[in-house]
Amino acid sequence: VSKRLVPKYGKLDHNGGIEAIFESNGDAVLLVNDINKRTPTLHRVVIDGVKGIFKKQDVIATIPEVTVGKAFALGFGGVPGPGFYVHKDPNSDLYAVTTLNSMTPDRNKRLEVALYNGEHEEISRGFYHSPEDKYKYLEYIDMAVVDQTVHVLGYAYNTRRSGGKENIMVLGTLVKGDTSVDVKELDFTHDLELDRGLLKYNPATEKLMMLVYVTKSKGVNPKGYTRLIYIDPATRTQLAADDIFPEEADIKSRELFG
């Protein structure tokens, strides 16, 4: 794909990559991350779904240059790397782009969310604020688009050096036409060690489903469990939760391998 983009872009050989490919209004849409001179840039390429020719290409997001000093912080300071994240709504032509600029000193400007319609018009954009400005670090987990609204799941935390060890999952909501993300702490996740997760919307139940891995202990033999949490998207409160564990597969594995 990179070679076919050369006439429009020049070579895409700067350690970037394709963040997403999806269909919208019968066309193919590619969102390409091109890291040129340590500056990540997200290009949007629209290809005619019938003729296979370029219809549109533009830049929709950039992240300031990642200097040597910033790269050091990424490698040794435990700071999450900057990047772009894309989610296409499976039930419409809407799609969202989240930009993580983890190196900016302003903790309320690190995560920016934008929502686009099927005509590739921006219909809302806003920053994801740290709740009460009390968390220094924020990581992107996942997002879901529901009825012209973007729900973005994040992991906010402090270290002992940055104001006291504390962590929590936060759920941000960007509604069509808004200019800021409304962020709410998910109290039921307070101080849980959550390594990773997924956020999906179930149109049948009209509920958000958050699947997270909770770490109980680290080290040579780490232990943890997977929890499926059901969330009301309107109130962003927990409705129910189930621990998910492949018990029968685990029993068989122990029989075979000890």
Side-chain angles (χ1 to χ4, degrees), residues 95-143:
Y95 60 97
V97 175
T98 294
T99 302
L100 175 61
N101 179 11
S102 53
M103 308 310 299
T104 180
D106 188 344
R107 66 184 64 182
N108 291 317
K109 293 293 180 69
R110 291 179 180 160
L111 209 65
E112 187 176 25
V113 184
L115 179 63
Y116 298 90
N117 61 20
E119 302 299 324
H120 312 294
E121 300 166 332
E122 182 183 297
I123 59 176
S124 56
R125 176 184 291 268
F127 283 103
Y128 200 110
H129 297 282
S130 173
E132 300 179 8
D133 206 32
K134 62 183 178 180
Y135 298 104
K136 182 175 181 180
Y137 300 106
L138 178 65
E139 293 185 16
Y140 169 87
I141 302 296
D142 201 4
M143 60 181 160

Side-chain angles (χ1 to χ4, degrees), residues 19 23 32 35 48 54 64 72 79-80 109 114 116 122 160 169 185 213 217 229 232 236 250 256-257:
E19 302 296 341
E23 183 270 336
V32 184
I35 305 174
D48 189 294
F54 285 97
F72 181 85
V79 178
K109 293 293 180 69
Y116 298 90
E122 182 183 297
R160 289 186 176 88
M169 283 280 192
E185 295 175 285
Y213 179 76
S217 64
I229 302 169
D232 184 335
R236 286 175 285 178
D250 181 68
L256 293 172
F257 308 112

Side-chain angles (χ1 to χ4, degrees), residues 54-108:
F54 285 97
K55 294 181 66 174
K56 179 181 181 180
Q57 67 90 9
D58 56 356
V59 172
I60 60 173
T62 59
I63 297 173
E65 178 185 0
V66 181
T67 63
V68 174
K70 292 178 180 179
F72 181 85
L74 292 173
F76 299 96
V79 178
F84 305 107
Y85 304 92
V86 182
H87 177 77
K88 167 70 167 56
D89 178 18
N91 301 306
S92 73
D93 282 330
L94 295 171
Y95 60 97
V97 175
T98 294
T99 302
L100 175 61
N101 179 11
S102 53
M103 308 310 299
T104 180
D106 188 344
R107 66 184 64 182
N108 291 317

Side-chain angles (χ1 to χ4, degrees), residues 197-243:
L198 295 170
L199 185 68
K200 302 295 180 185
Y201 177 70
N202 186 337
T205 62
E206 298 183 341
K207 300 296 183 289
L208 289 168
M209 301 168 63
M210 185 175 81
L211 184 69
V212 293
Y213 179 76
V214 183
T215 301
K216 295 180 65 176
S217 64
K218 299 182 180 180
V220 179
N221 296 308
K223 295 182 180 180
Y225 61 93
T226 304
R227 172 163 287 187
L228 180 61
I229 302 169
Y230 302 89
I231 301 174
D232 184 335
T235 62
R236 286 175 285 178
T237 56
Q238 176 178 321
L239 300 174
D242 296 316
D243 289 341

Side-chain angles (χ1 to χ4, degrees), residues 1 18-23 28-31:
V1 174
I18 297 175
E19 302 296 341
I21 301 176
F22 54 85
E23 183 270 336
V29 181
L30 293 81
L31 294 178

